[in-house]
């Protein structure tokens, strides 16, 4: 299969590139290196099945060139980070919405078999319901969350209007190798690992009781593979089963693939537990790290207290069955960061 992976020089994208190249697929990677890096993909360049196109998804022609001959699209390119979107909503909007629309148009015109895209748990917004279930969302709490919700709306309309197959994966706090520890918008895990390796005190925003469903990258890879390759008929059959279980039988006969799925482990770890897990894993290599205590700062704008996914829908329809709990993921990620940055 020939697969276009946008954002393939970024954290999640480069892990997808690596996995699908190992599976002998042909991979086109489109990335403008805004937050991704050549060093994430350098090792793949000599592989004849890998092509890197440096380009911007805000340019429709670039998207069309990249998707030529592709069977599947895994669309990961976006400007991530809630704080970035609060500081610069216009740029987040143009990449995440205009760029997304360009990719949908290019994929539609190319007639790809399926368009799988990175959605986000931020779409749950101010909903207090736990665990998060796909069909019950709240109001967005940031410009970033708006863009990710608009992606879902566009994908839904394209699926219905142009008979495309679109699947959105609502990622919950993904972490693992190659997630960027640098820059103002680094995610909490690589940022704290970097602090600890430098013998600095990580800062917990708030009192440390806020919790997240931290999701190891391998689980995300599994979800992408299932989302891309699960046969359409299987999706229809399993969707009927799923909808009857959640008592929405009236919609179960639709012949459209326009789904969103939570992608998480289904657990919860609060920030103090996270800090302790990272510290204790890194202290196996460097005893001094074991003595570091966290510092505490104010809550961040746009942060919700708790986020935990129900993965029942992805499990029932796609057969998603995450293999790595957060604890195992923290061990693996710490090992990777230690070897890389020691
Ligand atoms: N990491 C998470 O926890 C998480 C959670 C929810 C959703 N997501 C989504 O998953 C996707 C991947 O996130 P990530 O964590 O790997 O982030 P990342 O920043 O490492 O990767 C994003 C990639 O997109 C590229 N990109 C940005 N703007 C572009 C443009 N205009 N044209 C082409 N390429 C562009 C970047 O250079 C980068 O390589 C994003 O869509 C993000 O919103 C991530």
């Amino acid at each position: 299969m020939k697969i276009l992976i946008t954002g393939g020089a970024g954290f999640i994208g480069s892990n997808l590139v690596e996995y699908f190249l190992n599976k002998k697929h042909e991979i086109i990677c489109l990335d403008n290196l805004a937050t991704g890096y050549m060093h994430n993909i350098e090792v793949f360049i000599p592989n004849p099945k890998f092509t890197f196109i440096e380009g911007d998804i805000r340019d429709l022609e670039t998207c069309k060139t990249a998707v030529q001959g592709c069977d599947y699209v895994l669309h990961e390119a976006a400007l991530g980070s809630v704080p970035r979107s609060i500081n610069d909503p216009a740029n987040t909007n143009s990449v995440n919405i205009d760029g997304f629309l360009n990719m949908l148009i290019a994929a539609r015109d190319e007639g790809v078999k399926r368009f799988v895209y990175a959605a986000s748990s931020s779409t749950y917004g101010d909903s207090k319901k736990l665990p998060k279930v796909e069909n019950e969302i709240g109001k967005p709490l940031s410009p970033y969350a708006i863009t990710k919700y608009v992606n879902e709306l566009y994908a839904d309309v394209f699926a219905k209007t142009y008979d495309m197959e679109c699947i959105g994966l609502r990622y919950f706090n993904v972490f693992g190798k190659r997630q960027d520890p640098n820059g103002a918008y680094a995610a909490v895990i690589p940022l704290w690992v970097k602090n600890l390796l430098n013998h600095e005190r990580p800062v917990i925003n708030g009192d440390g009781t806020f919790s997240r469903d931290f999701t190891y990258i391998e689980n995300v890879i599994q979800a992408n593979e299932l989302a891309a390759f699960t046969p359409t008929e299987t999706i229809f059959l399993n969707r009927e089963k799923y909808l009857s279980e959640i008592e929405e039988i009236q919609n179960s006969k639709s012949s459209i693939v326009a789904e969103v799925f939570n992608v998480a482990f289904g657990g919860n770890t609060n920030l103090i537990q996270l800090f302790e897990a990272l510290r204790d894993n890194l202290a196996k290599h460097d005893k001094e790290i074991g003595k570091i205590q966290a510092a505490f700062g104010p809550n961040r704008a746009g942060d919700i207290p708790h986020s935990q996914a129900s993965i029942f829908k992805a499990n029932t329809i796609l057969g998603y069955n995450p293999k790595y709990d957060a604890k195992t993921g923290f061990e693996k990620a710490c090992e990777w960061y230690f070897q890389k940055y020691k």
Side-chain angles (χ1 to χ4, degrees), residues 6-14 30-37 40 53 55-59 75-81 84 94-96 99 117-122 144 147-148 151 169-175 178-180 187 215 217:
T6 70
F11 156 50
I12 295 174
S14 65
L30 171 62
D31 200 302
N32 71 347
L33 304 178
T35 58
Y37 298 95
N40 283 341
I53 300 175
D56 196 316
I57 55 167
R58 284 170 291 184
D59 180 60
H75 178 55
E76 308 301 314
L79 285 179
S81 162
R84 185 205 311 276
S94 75
V95 174
N96 295 9
Y117 62 96
S120 167
S121 60
S122 63
Y144 172 75
T147 67
K148 287 289 169 178
N151 289 176
L169 301 176
R170 284 186 191 157
Y171 300 152
F172 281 66
N173 294 76
V174 187
F175 69 98
R178 292 200 283 270
Q179 191 172 28
D180 190 5
T215 306
I217 183 69

Side-chain angles (χ1 to χ4, degrees), residues 58-256:
R58 284 170 291 184
D59 180 60
L60 179 58
E61 287 313 310
T62 300
C63 298
K64 287 188 169 181
T65 306
V67 80
Q68 258 170 33
C70 288
D71 302 289
Y72 296 91
V73 174
L74 303 179
H75 178 55
E76 308 301 314
L79 285 179
S81 162
V82 164
R84 185 205 311 276
S85 78
I86 291 171
N87 291 339
D88 185 1
N91 218 17
T92 296
N93 192 87
S94 75
V95 174
N96 295 9
I97 297 182
D98 297 348
F100 186 88
L101 181 56
N102 283 340
M103 276 309 310
L104 267 181
I105 292 168
R108 176 200 65 187
D109 292 355
E110 190 59 28
V112 302
K113 294 185 174 67
R114 199 166 286 161
F115 184 87
V116 178
Y117 62 96
S120 167
S121 60
S122 63
T123 294
Y124 290 102
D126 65 1
S127 163
K128 295 209 163 47
K129 193 183 149 98
L130 288 171
K132 306 294 182 196
V133 177
E134 283 83 346
N135 58 359
E136 292 177 51
I137 60 172
K139 282 203 168 149
L141 291 170
S142 67
Y144 172 75
I146 293 177
T147 67
K148 287 289 169 178
Y149 183 45
V150 170
N151 289 176
E152 293 186 7
L153 297 175
Y154 262 123
D156 195 65
V157 165
F158 266 59
K160 288 173 178 153
T161 312
Y162 306 114
D163 200 21
M164 286 176 74
E165 296 197 0
C166 298
I167 293 187
L169 301 176
R170 284 186 191 157
Y171 300 152
F172 281 66
N173 294 76
V174 187
F175 69 98
K177 72 178 178 197
R178 292 200 283 270
Q179 191 172 28
D180 190 5
N182 298 308
Y185 303 119
V188 59
I189 290 179
L191 176 66
W192 286 4
V193 167
K194 185 179 79 171
N195 293 155
L196 288 165
L197 289 172
N198 291 335
H199 294 185
E200 295 159 0
R201 297 175 69 190
V203 178
I204 295 178
N205 297 120
D207 66 2
T209 58
F210 280 19
S211 68
R212 295 290 179 267
D213 195 339
F214 291 104
T215 306
Y216 188 55
I217 183 69
E218 292 293 330
N219 301 329
V220 171
I221 293 171
Q222 183 197 135
N224 273 275
E225 185 170 37
L226 290 166
F229 299 141
T230 300
T232 307
E233 278 310 313
T234 307
I235 291 180
F236 290 159
L237 279 173
N238 290 342
R239 188 171 59 193
E240 271 189 52
K241 199 165 106 192
Y242 171 73
L243 290 172
S244 67
E245 298 240 6
I246 65 161
E247 291 168 1
E248 285 200 18
I249 302 160
Q250 69 278 14
N251 295 324
S252 67
K253 291 292 174 202
S254 160
S255 59
I256 287 157

